[in-house]
Amino acid sequence: MTVSHARVLGLTVLVLALIAVPYALPALGANFWVNIIAEILIWSLLAASVNLLLGYLGLLSFGQSLYFGFGMYGVALSINAWDVGFWSALAIGMAAASVMALIAGVLAVRLTWHYFAIITVVFSLIFYFAAMSMKWLTGGDDGVSFTPPPVMNLGGYKLLLTDPTAQYYVILGIVAGCFALMALIVNSPLGLSFKAIRENDRRAALIGINVYRTRLIAFVLAGALAGVSGALFAFFGRYASASYMFYHVSGEAVVWAIVGGASSLLGPLFGAGALIIFRELVSNAWEHYLIAVGVITILVVMFAPRGIAGSWNDLLHKAFMRRSQGADPNKPAAVIEEPR
Amino acid sequence: MTASGTALSLSGLTKRFGGLVAVDDVTIDLESRKLNAIIGPNGAGKTTLFNLITGEIAADSGRVTFQGRDIVNRKPHEIVRSGISRTLQIKSVFGGLTVGDNVRAAVLAHERIMTPFRPVSSYRAVAARSNDLIEEVGLSDHRGALASSLSYGDVALLEMALALAAQPKLLLLDEPVCGMGPQETERTVAMITGISRHTDVILIEHDMEVVFDIADFIMVMAQGGILATGTAAEIASDAKVQEAYLGSPEDD
Ligand SMILES: Nc1ncnc2c1ncn2[C@@H]1O[C@H](COP(=O)(O)OP(=O)(O)O)[C@@H](O)[C@H]1O
Ligand SMILES: [Mg+2]
């Protein structure tokens, strides 16, 4: 077995486990956890949007909740106003988030480091307060609720989100699709230019990459991911609320991405999964559980800076590399494939 | 290949940092098909001159004419695309990527390929050209190694491959053998002279032995301005040059 075999095996197990959730968990008497896993899947997309910027371009955004909020309201408002179908509403949510990201990105990606982080927060705060005060449109804190349209209408048979199992699979399918697209992107020429900018933006410009435009493309893609996340969350909760545009939502996504492992594709899923499960287990018993989350985050940053996914990859390499190195003594120790 | 023309023409090029005039009204035509070298004591403004040519620093005044067009203050990536590549005094590559990905990124950027859904590995021509470049600079044994794991000399060679990936008409090299051992230096010097046969090269170099050995034309800078120009023999016997070098003992 090689590292990539182990990876494929791990991914297969993960996918099968996620597919089994709506049947396996109720059989174990844990119905409640089906929705928790669905929620984890949704939030993992928001964490993935942080990861796309942080892990692949080296840009730390503390404002992804803005695009999450646009995704939510895109769905809720378009369904209430125009009675659009499920997929149209999803597309509108994603498009609204992307347009907002384009507008904010035109300014934000001129900056890097803490300046970038600050401007992303500022943007999200401006729109958070605007959304909170525009109650006639957004419902402010209370939000606006809506009735989700059927996902599909096959000759009289309606696939409805009111069926928890159907809802779970719809969410799983869309989230898996987003991760698959992201996998394609990070391994494409566009993705390689992202990584080149992350590694050395000066050299990136000197090989002819338009650094500004490339960062803007990534920022819009990240906004679209956050938008899909928000749209799904709106469908999941049947409402949209301005409170999800607050920066603590962005901050949580940053924590999930870092704990899960920035610059690894599935890291955000593991990070969101681990910390949301931790929250569900601990928060009822201990109201200050966030202190523990903080400690966990600090420990990860200090001792496993590549997060859960990075540590897992390192483990695989330790387990399988020795053999392959023995087979090929010419390979230097640092021969590794692009970390995923 | 065209007969001799102008590789690059600078006119009144000036850059101030606060009160310091780092590049002071530099006017010169550098001939094509020659290996041009720029020497001068530390702080003379050589690197800043390159930064102005490549658009990384905005000029206060003056013109940079390349292939009949004024390129001063255009964006660095546009200048690269117009045919000027460079290496940096502090060697600069993509440390966290493999040697192969470093060069592939440069080849893709040169070909302006930015597609989002097709894997990099499926671009056969890009892979072939990357491999040629890696071979050309002698890094074939390190293709899969992370750039950050390379020795200093190998990083310089990789950087050279990145610069060559853009198929430059003009290559600017900022102290390419600085920090190299004698063997690496010899290899790199041979490579530079090889490149200069088909590509215009402007070389900043501290190592006088190297410069006098390979340069066809030398421009000496001091305090932002041009102190002297000429062949190696002319420069070696120039009194002003000797004075400038004796006057800066910290220069190595
Ligand atoms: N970005 C900058 N900001 C301020 N001063 C600079 C900058 N870059 C270079 N300088 C100054 O300009 C002068 C010329 O520097 P440089 O071009 O690096 O010299 P050289 O390459 O000939 O050693 C030096 O005095 C240096 O300190
Ligand atoms: Mg210098």
Side-chain angles (χ1 to χ4, degrees):
Chain A
M1 194 146 92
T2 66
V3 177
S4 56
H5 287 145
R7 244 189 226 141
V8 170
L9 187 68
L11 186 64
T12 312
V13 169
L14 177 69
V15 170
L16 290 178
L18 286 172
I19 290 174
V21 159
Y23 297 100
L25 290 179
L28 297 169
N31 276 14
F32 165 75
W33 283 90
V34 176
N35 273 348
I36 303 288
I37 305 291
E39 210 183 313
I40 288 170
L41 289 170
I42 294 170
W43 287 117
S44 73
L45 283 186
L46 185 64
S49 88
V50 170
N51 183 36
L52 179 61
L53 294 171
L54 179 61
Y56 293 91
L57 282 110
L59 293 172
L60 178 55
S61 168
F62 266 106
Q64 293 309 101
S65 62
L66 171 56
Y67 317 106
F68 185 88
F70 267 64
M72 282 190 108
Y73 277 110
V75 164
L77 297 181
S78 66
I79 287 174
N80 282 343
W82 305 309
D83 213 12
V84 296
F86 176 88
W87 296 102
S88 307
L90 182 68
I92 289 169
M94 187 175 107
S98 307
V99 170
M100 185 63 238
L102 179 64
I103 293 165
V106 164
L107 290 171
V109 302
R110 287 178 196 283
L111 307 171
T112 52
W113 298 101
H114 46 285
Y115 300 107
F116 175 82
I118 289 167
I119 196 169
T120 54
V121 173
V122 168
F123 256 106
S124 78
L125 274 179
I126 290 171
F127 281 87
Y128 167 73
F129 287 118
M132 283 303 240
S133 63
M134 288 162 67
K135 279 209 163 44
W136 56 272
L137 181 69
T138 64
D141 219 353
D142 301 330
V144 288
S145 49
F146 63 94
T147 309
V151 178
M152 266 190 290
N153 216 334
L154 291 173
Y157 171 77
K158 286 184 174 148
L159 183 63
L160 288 168
L161 294 181
T162 43
D163 172 1
T165 303
Q167 172 170 275
Y168 176 87
Y169 282 126
V170 168
I171 291 168
L172 177 60
I174 293 171
V175 170
C178 287
F179 274 106
L181 276 181
M182 199 172 149
L184 285 178
I185 290 171
V186 300
N187 289 308
S188 72
L190 180 65
L192 186 54
S193 68
F194 289 171
K195 294 174 214 164
I197 290 171
R198 173 192 72 197
E199 291 299 317
N200 185 342
D201 56 357
R202 184 176 184 194
R203 175 49 68 189
L206 286 175
I207 61 173
I209 293 175
N210 185 338
V211 173
Y212 171 74
R213 202 182 64 177
T214 309
R215 281 189 176 135
L216 186 57
I217 290 170
F219 196 78
V220 172
L221 286 173
L225 267 179
V228 172
S229 177
L232 286 180
F233 197 68
F235 282 123
F236 185 71
R238 279 84 161 132
Y239 88 128
S241 159
S243 60
Y244 285 97
M245 288 163 75
F246 199 47
Y247 69 78
H248 77 237
V249 174
S250 307
E252 239 178 333
V254 170
V255 169
W256 292 329
I258 289 174
V259 170
S263 85
S264 94
L265 195 66
L266 292 177
L269 178 63
F270 300 136
L275 290 178
I276 289 173
I277 290 171
F278 181 79
R279 179 183 73 196
E280 292 302 322
L281 294 177
V282 178
S283 66
N284 287 334
W286 183 33
E287 65 175 317
H288 298 301
Y289 83 100
L290 278 174
I291 295 172
V293 171
V295 171
I296 290 172
T297 308
I298 291 167
L299 290 178
V300 166
V301 170
M302 286 174 66
F303 297 109
R306 293 176 58 226
I308 298 172
S311 306
W312 167 249
N313 272 337
D314 292 346
L315 208 75
L316 288 184
H317 279 283
K318 274 212 192 91
F320 300 115
M321 279 308 271
R322 220 165 286 142
R323 237 167 299 162
S324 64
Q325 256 177 27
D328 185 359
N330 290 329
K331 271 191 188 164
V335 172
I336 61 166
E337 289 159 54
E338 176 58 25
R340 296 237 188 154
Chain B
M1 263 163 248
T2 50
S4 85
T6 311
L8 189 74
S9 151
L10 310 176
S11 146
L13 203 57
T14 300
K15 178 67 195 180
R16 290 183 200 85
F17 292 117
L20 173 84
V21 189
V23 171
D24 190 1
D25 195 20
V26 168
T27 299
I28 192 164
D29 286 345
L30 292 169
E31 263 180 67
S32 195
R33 324 269 352 106
K34 282 193 175 166
L35 209 167
N36 294 290
I38 302 176
I39 62 171
N42 265 330
K46 307 180 295 293
T47 298
T48 304
L49 188 72
F50 272 12
N51 288 339
L52 295 175
I53 297 169
T54 56
E56 290 173 275
I57 285 181
D60 292 321
S61 56
R63 280 198 310 274
V64 177
T65 310
F66 176 63
Q67 304 207 310
R69 279 186 305 165
D70 185 12
I71 58 164
V72 81
N73 293 348
R74 294 206 8 224
K75 299 224 167 59
H77 69 266
E78 292 170 352
I79 292 175
V80 178
R81 288 170 183 181
S82 78
I84 302 180
S85 282
R86 78 176 287 191
T87 64
L88 299 181
Q89 185 168 349
I90 295 164
K91 303 305 163 224
S92 161
V93 297
F94 306 114
L97 305 184
T98 62
V99 168
D101 273 348
N102 265 266
V103 180
R104 276 190 286 273
V107 172
L108 287 164
H110 173 62
E111 309 277 344
R112 310 240 194 138
I113 299 172
M114 279 248 291
T115 42
F117 299 126
R118 218 180 117 179
V120 170
S121 53
S122 71
Y123 288 86
R124 290 292 173 81
V126 170
R129 214 173 108 56
S130 304
N131 286 339
D132 289 349
L133 284 161
I134 291 169
E135 203 161 307
E136 187 178 343
V137 299
L139 287 177
S140 296
D141 291 344
H142 302 282
R143 206 164 305 191
L146 283 185
S148 58
S149 74
L150 297 178
S151 71
Y152 187 84
D154 286 345
V155 170
L157 293 172
L158 176 57
E159 195 191 29
M160 194 84 86
L162 297 186
L164 290 175
Q167 298 186 301
K169 299 178 195 84
L170 174 61
L171 182 61
L172 309 179
L173 303 172
D174 198 344
E175 305 199 17
V177 301
C178 174
M180 285 188 184
Q183 258 184 331
E184 279 173 327
T185 300
E186 200 178 315
R187 237 172 82 204
T188 309
V189 167
M191 202 165 83
I192 293 168
T193 44
I195 292 167
S196 74
R197 281 190 207 106
H198 52 79
T199 305
D200 293 333
V201 173
I202 304 176
L203 169 77
I204 293 175
E205 189 46 68
H206 252 93
D207 189 325
M208 289 302 166
E209 218 175 301
V210 169
V211 172
F212 286 153
D213 199 25
I214 65 174
D216 302 310
F217 179 83
I218 298 172
M219 158 177 152
V220 186
M221 282 185 78
Q223 290 168 347
I226 298 176
L227 189 67
T229 57
T231 62
E234 287 163 358
I235 295 299
S237 59
D238 190 305
K240 277 183 297 182
V241 175
Q242 279 162 6
E243 195 183 317
Y245 272 84
L246 292 174
S248 66
E250 93 262 283
D251 175 49
D252 46 28

